Amino acid sequence: MTESHYDVDLGETDTLLSLLAENLEELRLSAGETLFEQDDFDDRLFVLDTGELEVSVLAASGRKLSLNRLQPGSVFGEIAFFDPGRRTARIKALVSSRLRFARQAALLEGMTRNPKLASALLQLAGRRMRWMSRQLEDQVFLPPESRLAAKTLHLSRSDSEIAMSQAQLADYVGVTRELVSRILSDWRRAGLVELSRGRIRVLDRSGLMETRDSEEV
Amino acid sequence: MTESHYDVDLGETDTLLSLLAENLEELRLSAGETLFEQDDFDDRLFVLDTGELEVSVLAASGRKLSLNRLQPGSVFGEIAFFDPGRRTARIKALVSSRLRFARQAALLEGMTRNPKLASALLQLAGRRMRWMSRQLEDQVFLPPESRLAAKTLHLSRSDSEIAMSQAQLADYVGVTRELVSRILSDWRRAGLVELSRGRIRVLDRSGLMETRDSEEV
DNA sequence: TACGCTCTGTGATCCTCTTCACAGAATACC
DNA sequence: GGTATTCTGTGAAGAGGATCACAGAGCGTA
């Protein structure tokens, strides 16, 4: 199984961005600031220009599942934009970030003038659904070690070093901090990664891919 | 937590259907027939007119997760329609069924003529994403008994009797047949359901709702 | 430099679900 | 009607994570 099968590409948004451009307003977030909470009412569609954002969902119990880290160029917030209602996730700035956004009314109007915008948005929706579908499959079918391998590979796709505590990583995988620690220690002993406080350096990507694929339940 | 919070409504498709109507071709499936397999290439968008279909995803190991049973009026197949590529799930007819479908090219053309069609499709996408988001949350945050309660309530929403073996139900919840059997037996002893071979009759919906909500991890 | 906080590693125990096994009941089919 | 098949219920054993507990290491900061 190739890596691209796992990394659904949400980055080819140039066409979409140029189509959106005229409808966008600007916005800045400082590090740690929350853009919106799960269950907020808000129908804006966003584009991240600079910085990094975290997408997460929260259980009533307070438990948190981190879904993704958004990089510049990402378009997000489609669910409540396409189907007005509550937000299904929380978006929080990991660092100071600059974004732009469009309101629903503006875009509906833009779509009537330019049908290409509509089909670009539909394709965006299709890609996001593919990505969500894979998240669900992974969560159901992959054991914790494979999920951890998948997330580690994903998070290190642009840089072999991941700046994240093991506790944060555990929130991505949906397991306890202790289990992440044990698995990472095994990987360190196997020469797959190098560990230090708050950092994981990936040494052997293909080894991790094997780990990810070899243990399907 | 209300039940409607759980049952994302995908049924309000009258507007969409009337907009689609002119672009549709007909199709029939006999009981047990597969419309398409996961990973097939196919870019059609479907509407179910009569019958019942099962949506499921399969792991490489052969394990299966059932996602939904589609009822007449349901529109489905959006992912590969909006973002051409492989199917993310398998669709199989549970009984003899009649459906209609549109090809991507036909609809893109239809959208340029009628912008309302585009926004109806976007809303459909938004609703489907909401539904997927909830599936993922439930899978991660709810323990097996709560998930079973949620699925049982969902499957019995139009008829208090569910015609399904415990093994099939287990495929919906993502646990073993034995665990489903044990939980259902507990529920029977508590007066929540009535059990017979291949059937589950729900006696106490609010009791099941409590079960669903009371055990979040 | 000393103190305090956060992060990491790991043992021990508990708990839940899976796996395996099997028996009895219901249904389908000769 | 009798036999085979499928479904259900349940016990017993096993595995894999969660939880609890704690110690040491790294880092910020007073």
Side-chain angles (χ1 to χ4, degrees), chain A residues 38 57-61 63-65 67 78-80 82-86 88 108 111-112 115 118-119 121-123 125-130 132-133 135-137 139-141 216-217, chain B residues 38 57-61 63-65 67 78-80 82-86 88 108 111-112 115 118-119 121-123 125-130 132-133 135-137 139-141 216-217:
Chain A
Q38 188 168 357
V57 296
L58 304 162
S61 63
R63 234 186 99 194
K64 163 177 150 184
L65 179 71
L67 291 176
E78 317 88 27
I79 296 183
F82 293 156
D83 177 34
R86 295 177 182 277
T88 59
L108 286 179
M111 270 166 35
T112 63
S119 65
L121 287 171
L122 285 175
Q123 183 168 24
R127 286 183 180 179
R128 184 57 41 92
M129 287 191 270
R130 260 184 214 291
M132 291 174 76
S133 176
Q135 297 303 304
L136 180 60
E137 276 179 55
Q139 199 65 45
V140 175
F141 293 135
E216 191 167 294
V217 172
Chain B
Q38 188 167 358
V57 295
L58 303 161
S61 62
R63 232 185 101 194
K64 163 177 149 185
L65 178 71
L67 292 177
E78 319 88 25
I79 297 182
F82 293 156
D83 178 34
R86 296 177 182 277
T88 59
L108 286 179
M111 270 165 36
T112 63
S119 64
L121 287 172
L122 284 175
Q123 184 169 23
R127 286 183 180 180
R128 184 56 42 92
M129 286 191 273
R130 259 184 215 290
M132 292 174 75
S133 176
Q135 297 303 303
L136 181 60
E137 275 180 55
Q139 198 65 45
V140 175
F141 293 134
E216 190 166 295
V217 172

Side-chain angles (χ1 to χ4, degrees), chain B residues 154-210:
Chain B
H154 179 74
L155 291 166
S156 65
R157 68 196 182 285
S158 56
D159 178 355
S160 71
E161 186 143 314
I162 304 173
M164 198 184 293
S165 75
Q166 296 182 1
Q168 287 175 292
L169 196 47
D171 283 341
Y172 273 83
V173 179
V175 295
T176 57
R177 197 264 313 163
E178 292 89 334
L179 183 61
V180 168
S181 181
R182 288 182 230 267
I183 295 172
L184 287 177
S185 294
D186 289 346
W187 290 356
R188 176 171 43 70
R189 285 186 275 272
L192 297 174
V193 296
E194 216 172 69
L195 304 175
S196 57
R197 185 193 170 92
R199 322 213 141 252
I200 295 143
R201 169 173 293 281
V202 176
L203 300 176
D204 181 354
R205 294 185 72 80
S206 60
L208 283 185
M209 288 185 213
E210 272 176 47

Side-chain angles (χ1 to χ4, degrees), chain A residues 57-153:
Chain A
V57 296
L58 304 162
S61 63
R63 234 186 99 194
K64 163 177 150 184
L65 179 71
S66 298
L67 291 176
N68 204 1
R69 293 194 157 189
L70 299 173
Q71 305 298 324
S74 299
V75 177
F76 63 95
E78 317 88 27
I79 296 183
F81 176 78
F82 293 156
D83 177 34
R86 295 177 182 277
R87 290 289 174 188
T88 59
R90 183 177 76 179
I91 304 281
K92 202 172 173 179
L94 293 166
V95 299
S96 166
S97 303
R98 194 160 47 78
L99 10 134
R100 284 173 295 163
F101 65 89
R103 298 195 178 278
Q104 220 217 2
L107 272 219
L108 286 179
E109 203 266 323
M111 270 166 35
T112 63
R113 287 204 315 277
N114 188 349
K116 278 213 171 61
L117 177 56
S119 65
L121 287 171
L122 285 175
Q123 183 168 24
L124 174 70
R127 286 183 180 179
R128 184 57 41 92
M129 287 191 270
R130 260 184 214 291
W131 180 84
M132 291 174 76
S133 176
R134 168 153 294 280
Q135 297 303 304
L136 180 60
E137 276 179 55
D138 284 0
Q139 199 65 45
V140 175
F141 293 135
L142 299 184
E145 184 169 6
S146 294
R147 291 210 305 278
L148 182 58
K151 285 293 181 189
T152 303
L153 285 166

